[in-house]
Amino acid sequence: MADNVKPRVKVPRSASAGESVLLKTLISHPMESGQRKDSDGNPIPRSIINRFTCDFNGENVIDATLEPAVSTNPFIEFEAVVPEAGEFVFTWYDDDGSVYTDTKAIAVS
Amino acid sequence: AAFLPMQVNAAADDAIAAFTGGAEVTDGGVDLVAPEIAENGNTVPIEVSAEGAASIMLIASGNPTPGVATFNFGKLAGAHTASTRIRLAGTQDVVAIAKMADGSFKRASANVKVTIGGCGG
């Protein structure tokens, strides 16, 4: 179980309709790869975020599968088209079954 | 160095084959931005983009497990681009394979020199 998992996302407050906006996401997570060993030589079990998705008003923007080779505190940056005002939903899926979500609204000017 | 044969190990080949289903992969059409030299293999910034791609898979050919991440772009994806930070065990080639909307596959690769490995070795 990973402690102090905190998602953070950066979304512009507003965009013009049909504009492509840059989204930055980061979640604090150790991303234990399963390759490391503790001081007694026992392998440390794998514990990572294995999937990340972003949806806007129910339509998918990106669905990423992550492997242990993604760094600690996985950072993902991508672009989304904003056809109308609405809400981005970001979801992270942990190996231990936890699901972390964050939402951000965007206005259309 | 671009004309040397790819240094891709068997596990990376398997991962690529699982993604492409054995289809032919052509060079070009994919942009892979990676640093030439990464001082710390624990966080190496990587950016991939491929116009018209349905999904892009990243492979670190020299890692104990070569898979890094797969980005599947949905209907509302803007430019088909994604950036992230990855771990590299040592100096190696990073490969991006893009599955295009028409079912063809394209690739790009970049050699990254790593000073300190990032897989706890």
Side-chain angles (χ1 to χ4, degrees):
Chain A
M1 178 65 199
D3 298 322
N4 302 321
V5 176
K6 187 169 181 281
R8 266 168 280 182
V9 295
K10 202 166 186 183
V11 174
R13 281 218 187 99
S14 67
S16 40
E19 188 188 347
S20 180
V21 296
L22 185 68
L23 309 178
K24 297 181 182 196
T25 74
L26 186 140
I27 186 164
S28 50
H29 192 284
M31 293 293 275
E32 188 57 61
S33 68
Q35 302 277 347
R36 298 197 307 156
K37 289 178 175 157
D38 64 16
S39 49
D40 300 327
N42 303 313
I44 303 171
R46 170 185 139 154
S47 169
I48 67 165
I49 299 282
N50 56 46
R51 184 172 171 225
F52 165 76
T53 64
C54 172
D55 296 277
F56 181 73
N57 289 354
E59 288 277 8
N60 183 245
V61 176
I62 196 168
D63 184 340
T65 309
L66 310 182
E67 312 263 353
V70 173
S71 298
T72 302
N73 303 336
F75 162 84
I76 300 171
E77 186 185 293
F78 54 96
E79 290 185 24
V81 175
V82 181
E84 73 260 334
E87 195 175 59
F88 283 104
V89 179
F90 304 89
T91 316
W92 292 261
Y93 298 86
D94 197 305
D95 266 353
D96 65 15
S98 311
V99 175
Y100 312 101
T101 56
D102 201 354
T103 58
K104 276 278 188 300
I106 187 166
V108 164
S109 51
Chain B
F3 301 101
L4 290 174
M6 289 289 307
Q7 296 165 0
V8 176
N9 64 21
D13 279 339
D14 287 350
I16 292 169
F19 183 67
T20 62
E24 194 189 342
V25 181
T26 52
D27 277 311
V30 183
D31 280 333
L32 174 61
V33 181
E36 226 167 274
I37 297 174
E39 285 194 0
N40 184 351
N42 270 315
T43 53
V44 182
I46 296 282
E47 183 181 339
V48 283
S49 61
E51 200 49 55
S55 55
I56 301 178
M57 182 175 67
L58 273 176
I59 297 276
S61 56
N63 273 8
T65 52
V68 174
T70 307
F71 301 102
N72 301 298
F73 298 105
K75 200 178 153 195
L76 288 183
H80 293 101
T81 178
S83 312
T84 187
R85 297 174 187 149
I86 69 171
R87 292 175 175 142
L88 296 175
T91 299
Q92 59 179 278
D93 286 327
V94 176
V95 183
I97 310 270
K99 181 182 187 180
M100 310 310 280
D102 62 5
S104 64
F105 291 91
K106 303 198 171 196
R107 75 184 283 160
S109 68
N111 187 264
V112 181
K113 290 184 172 56
V114 176
T115 319
I116 304 167
C119 285

